[in-house]
Amino acid sequence: METLKLILYVLLIVFFHGSSSFSLHPLVVNSIIEHSKHTSISAFRVLNRRALFECPDVNPYLQVNVSKTSGGLSDEEFVTVTVSGVLLPAENDWIAMISPSNSNVSSCPSTIAMYLQTGDVMSNLPLLCHYPVKAQYVSNDPDYVSCKKKECKKYSNGKCVVTTCSGSIKFHVINIRTDIEFVFFSGGFDTPCILSRSNPVSFANPNHPLYGHLSSIDSTGTSTKVTWVSGDKEPQKVQYGDGKSETSQVSTFSKDDMCSSALVSPAVDFGWHDPGYIHTAVMTGLNPSSTFSYRYGSDSVGWSDKIQFKTPPAGGSNELKFLAFGDMGKAPLDASAEHFIQPGSISVTKAMADEVNNGNVDSIFHIGDISYATGFLVEWDYFLHLISPVASRVPYMTAIGNHERDYTGSGSRYNGSDSGGECGVAYETYFPMPIPAKDKPWYSIEQGPVHFTVISTEHDWSQDSEQYEWMKNDMASVDRSKTPWLIFTGHRPMYSSSKSSVHKKFVKAVEPLLLDNKVDLVLFGHVHNYERTCSVYDHKCLAMPKKDENGVDTYDHSHSKYSAPVQAVIGMAGFTLDKFPHHVDSWSLSRISKFGYLRGYAAKEDLTLEFVNADTRKVEDNFRITKKQK
């Protein structure tokens, strides 16, 4: 009944929207504001809410050709797409990469109310509900609009009477398992119409195993889980070490697993893309702090390359080298527009890959806002491809963020549609952490002298919640003689100069646990910059760091000297950076709005942290926490 009322109301809006005295229903207004705030509205991102028609074009010469079609596409390549036979090239001509290739508007929702959640209620139907994976303006070829590439198509009495133009642009393509098609549009992203299409292009091996990444399953350092994606639903194997082999468990998810409400979500409707099959297998019998090789796949669908990986140090051992960050996502390796671009992600990943290749990393912690797919499911494939150089080599441990989990009515702690309807399903399938149960994405793990407590800020953390009791018991049970350092991580911060990102009830409920259990370091994301505090509690500096002989801020957390945790926001790994206000609180000691990551080195009595600028590779902030053993 409520859905019917909403549909009728929107029809009235469409009928009367020319009247300046007519105001929008709050539900409609809120959906537009919500979309703009949380899912980065852009001309390309709302393309699937635009009316789509065939252009009134009778050009018989028009063609769209792809540079490589025989034998199929490889797992990764740059293809050249050429449009030729163009009579009047325009700045707003563009090419979209569509997947699957048979996408059309015939199955799109016919009721405009279904598009409310994505911020558009005034479009005429039909709408392009099967979204392009990526798109580029043909004017990226500098010779296109000026028609420097001319071809005569018709002669009369020995003279050319019809001349056409052409343009070529490159697309970075990875194996997403389905046929793809390149579609030539006019009218820009705001008023698109179809001019021509390429023939469908297939991948040479859509079942090939790809995008392997590692995670730890416990604190021993003797078992490592590898997760990969394939178009094949049959179990495959991971082969590792000296002739060992384990068979994969296979899972996937469907539209039925996604969330929606009275308003259809991107994940259910126009953002859906088949994820293939996700394989996981556990490599056992390993030695901690050791290097092994592995490959995954099968004889029937093929094998990955052989990859060298490093196991983390066992919990309680003497040292750990780790990287940490939040809010990374991905960005295109070509000139394309995509649905959600995080511009710093490429430089950060490259910088971290160099560290991994140099043997300087035991593990990585990505604390929320992982791929920013937000219901456009193929973006997960592009993200997994981006992180492969690091995540396939060392354990890649994650925490859930708002853009993985939040959705109205789904049980998440916060309202809003930040996950685009994914509701944590895609995240938990691609990144199986050692959590207690499905949709309870909190866990702890020990590596070297560090105990990491990883929570979900998106699930209930109030004092009568299951997660609160888990946090309390987990931190209270830490053997500080074995792992002297306790690091607490989650996505949304307790302290940030961007005060709108701080939930006061979260701070009130959870911060006392940090003090009671003498947490040394707290790491959060969500705000897209770097910020470090004093030893802070209840918004007051209970202690200030002192400079050591090298001028580095040093906090003394020896038993008798401990006062409060040091907190840091490290959400600077990819998303467009947030600026700082002119006036900040006294607890804020260091503020940097640059892309980078946190580098950590833990020994038994010393924890050293460095903010690394990904573009320059220089350390722009560093601090130490010291702790004399009893």
Side-chain angles (χ1 to χ4, degrees):
M1 181 62 71
E2 287 301 313
T3 302
L4 179 60
K5 289 180 180 177
L6 181 60
I7 291 170
L8 291 173
Y9 199 91
V10 173
L11 290 175
L12 288 172
I13 291 173
V14 175
F15 184 78
F16 287 108
H17 83 274
S19 170
S20 60
S21 63
F22 191 82
S23 60
L24 293 178
H25 187 279
L27 178 58
V28 177
V29 173
N30 289 342
S31 75
I32 297 170
I33 294 171
E34 203 168 77
H35 183 77
S36 177
K37 179 180 179 182
H38 296 302
T39 52
S40 187
I41 206 165
S42 68
F44 179 70
R45 192 167 170 83
V46 299
L47 179 64
N48 49 338
R49 271 78 74 193
R50 302 304 186 205
L52 177 67
F53 305 101
E54 299 288 332
C55 296
D57 187 276
V58 292
N59 180 353
Y61 311 112
L62 205 56
Q63 289 187 336
V64 181
N65 293 301
V66 184
S67 60
K68 180 179 180 181
T69 56
S70 61
L73 297 168
S74 64
D75 293 334
E76 179 190 13
E77 62 179 287
F78 285 85
V79 300
T80 299
V81 180
T82 300
V83 291
S84 60
V86 181
L87 293 172
L88 294 171
E91 287 279 357
N92 62 0
D93 292 345
W94 57 284
I95 299 173
M97 174 180 158
I98 304 287
S99 172
S101 62
N102 60 358
S103 297
N104 56 54
V105 298
S106 62
S107 61
C108 296
S110 59
T111 305
I112 210 164
M114 295 296 100
Y115 295 88
L116 282 177
Q117 185 179 303
T118 54
D120 185 77
V121 296
M122 300 303 178
S123 296
N124 295 315
L125 297 176
L127 305 181
L128 176 61
C129 62
H130 292 284
Y131 73 105
V133 174
K134 55 170 62 181
Q136 290 187 52
Y137 283 99
V138 192
S139 57
N140 284 342
D141 179 344
D143 297 332
Y144 175 67
V145 176
S146 60
C147 196
K148 291 184 180 179
K149 302 171 185 175
K150 296 181 180 179
E151 184 179 0
C152 186
K153 292 294 185 180
K154 185 177 180 179
Y155 291 89
S156 177
N157 298 322
K159 292 185 178 181
C160 181
V161 293
V162 177
T163 300
T164 63
C165 312
S166 66
S168 298
I169 52 179
K170 290 185 180 294
F171 281 88
H172 176 237
V173 178
I174 65 170
N175 190 342
I176 51 176
R177 298 168 300 281
T178 60
D179 291 355
I180 60 175
E181 183 180 47
F182 292 93
V183 182
F184 181 36
F185 289 86
S186 185
F189 297 154
D190 291 326
T191 57
C193 63
I194 295 176
L195 289 167
S196 186
R197 301 172 181 263
S198 74
N199 291 323
V201 184
S202 301
F203 289 96
N205 184 0
N207 292 332
H208 200 247
L210 294 166
Y211 318 133
H213 51 284
L214 306 174
S215 59
S216 294
I217 66 169
D218 57 32
S219 302
T220 66
T222 62
S223 298
T224 300
K225 180 176 288 186
V226 57
T227 302
W228 67 95
V229 183
S230 171
D232 180 35
K233 66 180 180 180
E234 297 301 319
Q236 299 172 19
K237 291 184 180 295
V238 58
Q239 296 177 343
Y240 64 99
D242 188 14
K244 295 181 179 179
S245 177
E246 295 290 343
T247 301
S248 68
Q249 299 291 318
V250 187
S251 62
T252 189
F253 52 91
S254 69
K255 282 187 180 183
D256 293 338
D257 299 310
M258 302 290 99
C259 288
S260 65
S261 59
L263 314 176
V264 176
S265 71
V268 170
D269 182 42
F270 45 80
W272 174 256
H273 189 275
D274 193 310
Y277 297 92
I278 295 86
H279 295 251
T280 59
V282 178
M283 298 179 283
T284 61
L286 309 173
N287 295 320
S289 301
S290 301
T291 300
F292 298 85
S293 64
Y294 71 101
R295 68 172 188 166
Y296 51 88
S298 69
D299 290 337
S300 61
V301 301
W303 293 89
S304 71
D305 293 335
K306 188 172 285 189
I307 304 166
Q308 278 201 328
F309 76 101
K310 184 179 181 182
T311 54
S317 55
N318 289 333
E319 63 177 5
L320 173 69
K321 295 175 285 187
F322 67 96
L323 307 179
F325 55 88
D327 306 77
M328 189 167 76
K330 53 103 193 84
L333 298 182
D334 54 25
S336 292
E338 293 182 347
H339 284 272
F340 218 164
I341 294 174
Q342 292 72 45
S345 57
I346 294 175
S347 64
V348 168
T349 305
K350 286 181 177 179
M352 292 193 300
D354 287 344
E355 298 229 25
V356 171
N357 292 336
N358 292 331
N360 295 329
V361 182
D362 296 318
S363 61
I364 292 173
F365 288 83
H366 185 165
I367 53 173
D369 286 5
I370 308 298
S371 73
Y372 287 95
T374 61
F376 296 87
L377 274 304
V378 79
E379 307 294 338
W380 280 104
D381 286 290
Y382 273 92
F383 174 76
L384 292 171
H385 172 269
L386 177 67
I387 66 169
S388 287
V390 295
S392 65
R393 302 284 305 280
V394 296
Y396 195 93
M397 309 304 293
T398 58
I400 200 168
N402 54 300
H403 283 294
E404 285 75 61
R405 182 60 183 83
D406 291 4
Y407 194 84
T408 302
S410 69
S412 55
R413 184 61 178 78
Y414 298 90
N415 289 321
S417 56
D418 289 2
S419 76
E422 292 182 19
C423 295
V425 173
Y427 163 76
E428 285 193 9
T429 308
Y430 286 120
F431 290 94
M433 295 294 108
I435 62 177
K438 184 178 180 180
D439 202 28
K440 296 180 181 179
W442 48 83
Y443 64 94
S444 65
I445 198 158
E446 294 181 346
Q447 296 178 348
V450 183
H451 180 102
F452 292 92
T453 297
V454 183
I455 73 153
S456 169
T457 56
E458 310 313 299
H459 290 72
D460 192 357
W461 30 251
S462 60
Q463 292 187 13
D464 59 351
S465 68
E466 179 183 357
Q467 184 177 201
Y468 181 89
E469 286 301 312
W470 177 86
M471 283 187 273
K472 182 178 177 181
N473 294 333
D474 177 74
M475 290 188 284
S477 67
V478 179
D479 182 353
R480 303 300 280 267
S481 65
K482 177 186 175 186
T483 50
W485 302 108
L486 177 51
I487 298 179
F488 182 92
T489 70
H491 184 59
R492 296 178 189 254
M494 291 183 179
Y495 290 89
S496 169
S497 291
S498 177
K499 291 182 172 57
S500 62
S501 297
V502 175
H503 196 295
K504 293 180 180 179
K505 290 184 178 179
F506 172 59
V507 179
K508 183 177 180 180
V510 178
E511 190 180 24
L513 289 179
L514 308 182
L515 192 68
D516 291 346
N517 291 283
K518 291 185 168 59
V519 168
D520 295 291
L521 178 64
V522 182
L523 300 176
F524 290 118
H526 195 60
V527 181
H528 306 132
N529 53 38
Y530 170 83
E531 187 168 18
R532 168 170 62 90
T533 73
C534 58
S535 296
V536 64
Y537 182 76
D538 193 23
H539 297 85
K540 300 179 183 67
C541 288
L542 302 191
M544 296 292 288
K546 297 179 180 179
K547 300 289 185 184
D548 67 7
E549 62 274 12
N550 297 314
V552 175
D553 278 0
T554 303
Y555 303 78
D556 190 349
H557 282 193
S558 300
H559 181 70
S560 61
K561 300 290 183 67
Y562 178 87
S563 57
V566 181
Q567 302 214 15
V569 170
I570 52 172
M572 64 296 180
F575 199 98
T576 301
L577 294 164
D578 291 330
K579 296 180 179 180
F580 291 96
H582 293 298
H583 301 288
V584 298
D585 292 321
S586 59
W587 48 256
S588 178
L589 302 188
S590 178
R591 297 170 299 280
I592 301 172
S593 185
K594 297 178 182 178
F595 293 118
Y597 53 92
L598 192 70
R599 177 197 292 151
Y601 173 75
K604 288 287 188 178
E605 296 189 348
D606 192 279
L607 179 60
T608 301
L609 291 310
E610 300 174 329
F611 169 74
V612 181
N613 182 319
D615 293 318
T616 65
R617 312 294 174 90
K618 293 181 179 179
V619 174
E620 298 208 7
D621 182 55
N622 56 352
F623 62 100
R624 297 171 57 215
I625 307 175
T626 60
K627 182 178 297 188
K628 293 182 179 179
Q629 299 293 300
K630 290 183 180 180

